Amino acid sequence: MMNRTFNPVTRVSYDTYLQLIKGKSIVNNRVKEESGDLFDAPSDYSLAHCISQDVKMSQGTALMFRRKFGNVEILKSQHPRVHEVLYIRQENRYILYMVTKPKYWQKLWRICS
């Protein structure tokens, strides 16, 4: 049996990635999962969340990120596409925006089904 491990440095398509992780836990010593208020995280912790390709960020956690970090025009200038990650460097950390759907009003489960 071939040992198929996920190498975070290797670039693979999203579909390949889904096949590689199916039914497995990915352990990465550079990522630490913690509980608490996301916005109380130390300033050297990078933060990530999901947004739509149109970068509206008008509800929920996305709206909170928009209010706290702003920079919507910088994000739009990165020409977001679904399955990409946008980012903004803020002092000692990155703010990551995972683009998961084309329009803000779409529900992710409708796109995936």
Side-chain angles (χ1 to χ4, degrees):
M1 175 180 232
M2 184 168 75
N3 182 10
R4 297 175 62 188
T5 58
F6 177 72
N7 180 348
V9 176
T10 303
R11 289 187 177 267
V12 295
S13 73
Y14 185 69
D15 291 330
T16 302
Y17 168 77
L18 290 177
Q19 288 301 315
L20 288 171
I21 66 166
K22 192 172 188 175
K24 297 180 182 178
S25 296
I26 296 175
V27 178
N28 184 334
N29 63 2
R30 294 179 293 173
V31 175
K32 183 178 181 182
E33 184 176 337
E34 293 189 17
S35 298
D37 186 328
L38 186 63
F39 297 109
D40 289 338
S43 62
D44 61 337
Y45 278 38
S46 292
L47 305 176
H49 74 110
C50 300
I51 65 169
S52 57
Q53 182 175 336
D54 57 15
V55 194
K56 292 290 185 191
M57 298 193 300
S58 59
Q59 296 179 1
T61 305
L63 178 59
M64 295 168 67
F65 269 77
R66 179 185 188 130
R67 288 179 176 162
K68 181 152 180 84
F69 303 111
N71 296 311
V72 173
E73 292 307 315
I74 293 172
L75 294 171
K76 287 181 179 180
S77 74
Q78 294 181 43
H79 307 290
R81 292 180 20 206
V82 175
H83 298 146
E84 292 184 343
V85 178
L86 311 177
Y87 68 91
I88 294 174
R89 174 99 181 173
Q90 187 188 57
E91 298 176 19
N92 296 328
R93 68 175 165 193
Y94 288 94
I95 310 301
L96 306 167
Y97 301 82
M98 299 175 290
V99 183
T100 58
K101 57 189 179 181
K103 301 290 182 187
Y104 77 96
W105 48 266
Q106 293 174 307
K107 299 294 183 201
L108 191 56
W109 61 270
R110 288 185 182 158
I111 295 169
C112 295
S113 57

